[in-house]
Amino acid sequence: MIFKSAVSKLNQYIYVGVILFLLLLTIPALFEDSYEPFVVLFSINFLVILFLIWTYKTTFYKIENTDLHWKSGPFNGKIDITKINRIEYHKGIYVPTIWKPALSHIGLIITYNKYDDIYISPEKQQEFITTLQRLNPNITFKNTPYVE
C-alpha cells in the first residue's frame, strides 16, 4: 500500500520561493561581458532546482509485508514495522529528528529499534496508522488524534 506525502501550503511556498530566488540570482550574470558566469551559475542553480523538484515529486511511503519503505528524492530507507515502538503526532516547523522525508509540517514521528526515529507526513494519516497498528499492535501512540 502506497501513501503519498502530504504537502503543506507553507512548504509549497518555500519550494516556489527558493526556485524563484535561484532563478533571480542568475539574472545579474546575464549582463556580464562574458557568458561563463551565467553558464556556471545557471548550471548550479538548475541542478539544485532539479533536486528540489525530484524530492517534491517522489516523497512517499510504502507498506509492503512487514516493512515500511520510504523515499524522498535520492534518499530511501526501510523500517521493520515489528520494530516500531511509538508513533507521535507532530505539528510544527521544528522537528526533533534527523531523517525527515516529509513535505508537511504536520506529520508523525516514528520511533523504532531502541533509539532510531524518522519524521514522515502521509496524506491519509488515519489509514496509515490503522495499517501499522494492524501489523504491530504493540505500538504506543502519543498525541495522535486518530487513536483512542
Side-chain angles (χ1 to χ4, degrees), residues 125-139:
Q125 282 189 11
Q126 186 171 4
E127 186 179 334
F128 182 81
I129 286 172
T130 303
T131 305
L132 289 181
Q133 207 172 20
R134 190 172 14 88
L135 294 170
N136 181 358
N138 298 322
I139 298 173

Side-chain angles (χ1 to χ4, degrees), residues 18-47:
V18 168
I19 289 171
L20 289 175
F21 178 73
L22 290 173
L23 290 174
L24 288 173
L25 280 178
T26 60
I27 291 174
L30 283 172
F31 301 107
E32 294 291 324
D33 292 336
S34 65
Y35 66 91
E36 286 91 2
F38 172 76
V39 170
V40 170
L41 196 56
F42 181 78
S43 298
I44 292 169
N45 289 346
F46 184 71
L47 290 175

Side-chain angles (χ1 to χ4, degrees), residues 3 8 11 20 48 58 70 75 93 105 109 118-119 121 131 142 145 148:
F3 297 88
S8 67
N11 279 8
L20 289 175
V48 172
T58 63
W70 58 269
F75 308 106
I93 295 175
H105 64 281
I109 298 173
I118 188 169
Y119 175 77
S121 62
T131 305
K142 183 177 177 188
E148 298 172 7

